C-alpha cells in the first residue's frame, strides 16, 4: 500500500522542556492509526506538528513525499491535504451551517459555489443533518456541531484526517453519533490518525494502535494484540485505568 504520511524521528520541545523524542510513524493510504496515552504526553502536540502548526527540533515529516514544516513555501497547499478536527468545533457563529461548510472550498479552493453547495448538502445528509443546513451553530447540539466540523474537514477533500479527542467535550449521549460517523469514514477507506480516550471505539476503528507515554512510543500493534496482549507493564496499567472489572 502507498505511504501517505511519514514521520521520521521527530523531537519536540518547548524551550528546554522536551515533549517527545525520536517518534516515528508511517501511515499508509486507507489506514486508521489510533494514538492513546495519558493526558499531557504530547498527543495533541504530535498532531499539531503533522499539521505544521508547531516547529519540530529534530526529524522530518513527509506527506506524499513532500516535507512539511512551518517554513515551507507551499505550506498552504500541503495543509489542504490534511483535515483536522479538534475538541472544540469553532464554527463561525454568524454563518449558517451551509455557509460554514462552503466557506473554505469556495474561498481557498475556488470551488464553484453550486458545486460546493451540492457536496455540502450530500455530506450533511450523510451525517443526518440535512435539515439543519440553514440553522446557525448555536441552534445545534454539541454532537451535531462536531458532525458539522467533520463535514467541514471533508469538504476540502483531505488525503488524511487528524482527529484530536473530538468527543472529549461532549455529553455521553452525543459521543456515539459522532463516533459512528468516524467509523463510517474508516469503512470507506479514509486515512486517519485519531487521538481518543474512547477505548471501545479505538478497538473497533483502529488498524494500528500506538501508545505514547513519557515522550516515547512505548508500544504499538494491531488492535487485538494491543488490547488483549499488551507487552509492557505501562500499557497494561494504562488500559486497566479504563476498566471497572
Ligand atoms: P496531550 O494532548 O497528550 O494531553 P499536549 O500535546 O497537549 O498533551 O501537551 C504535551 C505537553 O506539552 C504538556 O506537558 C503541555 O503542558 C506542554 N505544552 C503544550 N503546548 C505548549 C505550549 N504552547 N507551550 C509550552 N508547553 C506546552
Ligand atoms: Mg490533547
Amino acid at each position: 500500500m502507498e505511504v501517505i504520511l511519514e514521520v521520521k524521528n521527530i523531537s519536540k520541545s518547548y524551550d528546554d522542556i522536551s515533549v517527545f523524542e525520536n517518534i516515528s510513524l508511517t501511515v499508509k493510504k486507507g489506514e486508521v492509526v489510533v494514538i492513546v496515552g495519558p493526558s499531557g504526553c504530547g498527543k495533541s502536540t504530535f498532531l499539531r506538528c503533522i499539521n505544521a502548526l508547531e516547529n519540530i527540533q529534530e526529524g522530518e515529516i513527509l506527506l506524499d513525499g513532500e516535507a512539511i514544516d512551518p517554513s515551507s513555501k507551499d505550506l498552504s497547499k500541503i495543509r489542504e491535504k490534511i483535515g483536522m478536527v479538534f475538541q472544540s468545533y469553532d464554527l463561525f457563529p454568524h454563518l449558517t451551517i451551509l455557509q460554514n461548510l462552503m466557506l473554505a472550498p469556495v474561498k481557498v479552493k475556488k470551488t464553484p459555489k453550486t458545486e460546493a453547495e451540492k457536496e455540502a448538502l450530500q455530506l450533511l445528509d450523510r451525517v443526518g443533518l440535512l435539515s439543519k443546513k440553514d440553522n446557525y451553530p448555536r441552534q445545534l447540539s454539541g454532537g451535531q456541531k462536531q458532525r458539522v466540523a467533520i463535514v467541514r474537514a471533508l469538504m476540502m477533500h483531505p488525503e488524511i484526517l487528524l482527529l484530536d479527542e473530538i468527543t472529549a467535550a461532549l455529553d455521553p449521549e452525543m459521543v456515539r453519533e459522532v463516533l459512528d460517523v468516524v467509523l463510517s469514514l474508516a469503512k470507506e477507506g479514509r486515512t486517519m490518525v485519531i487521538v481518543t480516550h474512547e477505548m471501545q471505539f479505538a478497538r473497533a476503528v483502529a488498524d494500528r494502535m500506538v501508545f505514547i507515554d513519557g515522550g516515547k512510543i512505548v508500544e504499538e500493534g494491531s488492535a487485538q494484540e494491543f488490547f488483549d496482549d499488551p507487552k509492557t507493564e505501562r500499557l497494561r496499567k494504562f488500559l486497566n485505568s479504563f476498566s471497572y472489572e
Side-chain angles (χ1 to χ4, degrees):
M1 253 193 314
E2 179 192 339
V3 170
I4 293 211
L5 176 72
E6 248 188 305
V7 176
K8 293 184 185 170
N9 307 103
I10 67 167
S11 297
K12 168 73 191 169
S13 51
Y14 291 109
D15 302 321
D16 286 344
I17 301 165
S18 167
V19 180
F20 50 74
E21 269 176 38
N22 208 18
I23 286 192
S24 298
L25 182 73
T26 302
V27 183
K28 292 178 184 158
K29 194 175 167 66
E31 229 183 349
V32 177
V33 176
V34 174
I35 300 175
V36 298
S39 179
C41 74
K43 304 179 296 294
S44 296
T45 305
F46 182 70
L47 292 188
R48 290 169 57 79
C49 290
I50 295 176
N51 207 10
L53 294 166
E54 301 279 355
N55 284 304
I56 50 175
Q57 277 70 44
E58 279 172 65
E60 187 176 34
I61 302 172
L62 302 174
L63 185 70
D64 282 341
E66 279 184 276
I68 302 183
D69 79 78
S71 59
S72 320
K73 273 206 313 279
D74 303 329
L75 189 59
S76 60
K77 274 272 162 280
I78 300 171
R79 272 222 193 105
E80 277 181 34
K81 297 182 179 181
I82 306 174
M84 187 144 183
V85 184
F86 305 90
Q87 190 172 315
S88 65
Y89 4 85
D90 56 40
L91 301 167
F92 288 108
H94 60 290
L95 298 179
T96 66
I97 298 307
L98 186 57
Q99 288 166 343
N100 263 287
L101 294 177
M102 290 171 60
L103 190 67
V106 170
K107 284 252 172 343
V108 179
K109 277 208 155 173
K110 311 291 176 207
T111 307
K113 276 190 176 166
T114 47
E115 201 178 300
E117 179 170 345
K118 190 172 158 213
E119 185 169 18
L121 296 176
Q122 274 170 357
L123 287 170
L124 277 177
D125 192 26
R126 179 172 160 189
V127 301
L129 293 175
L130 187 53
S131 65
K132 303 291 182 192
K133 68 183 173 68
D134 297 319
N135 286 111
Y136 288 87
R138 69 182 136 75
Q139 298 171 307
L140 273 62
S141 71
Q144 291 170 334
K145 278 187 276 202
Q146 201 54 296
R147 282 183 278 160
V148 171
I150 294 171
V151 169
R152 178 179 53 182
L154 295 176
M155 288 291 293
M156 297 299 278
H157 302 164
E159 287 186 25
I160 185 166
L161 274 177
L162 311 178
L163 308 182
D164 190 4
E165 296 203 39
I166 62 170
T167 60
L170 298 179
D171 289 334
E173 71 270 26
M174 292 171 188
V175 169
R176 182 68 196 238
E177 68 192 38
V178 173
L179 296 183
D180 278 341
V181 169
V182 180
L183 276 168
S184 79
L185 295 176
K187 282 203 185 106
E188 72 178 32
R190 297 265 177 186
T191 312
M192 295 189 273
V193 179
I194 301 174
V195 170
T196 184
H197 288 292
E198 299 287 337
M199 291 299 149
Q200 284 187 320
F201 163 72
R203 186 175 186 140
V205 81
D207 293 310
R208 190 145 45 92
M209 293 293 307
V210 173
F211 174 53
I212 298 181
D213 190 17
K216 297 216 177 318
I217 294 183
V218 172
E219 196 162 333
E220 65 178 297
S222 71
Q224 199 197 341
E225 293 175 89
F226 190 90
F227 287 104
D228 293 343
D229 189 18
K231 301 285 181 292
T232 57
E233 185 56 32
R234 271 151 95 186
L235 176 56
R236 233 170 283 144
K237 266 186 130 164
F238 177 75
L239 293 174
N240 274 336
S241 70
F242 292 89
S243 130
Y244 288 92
E245 283 155 39

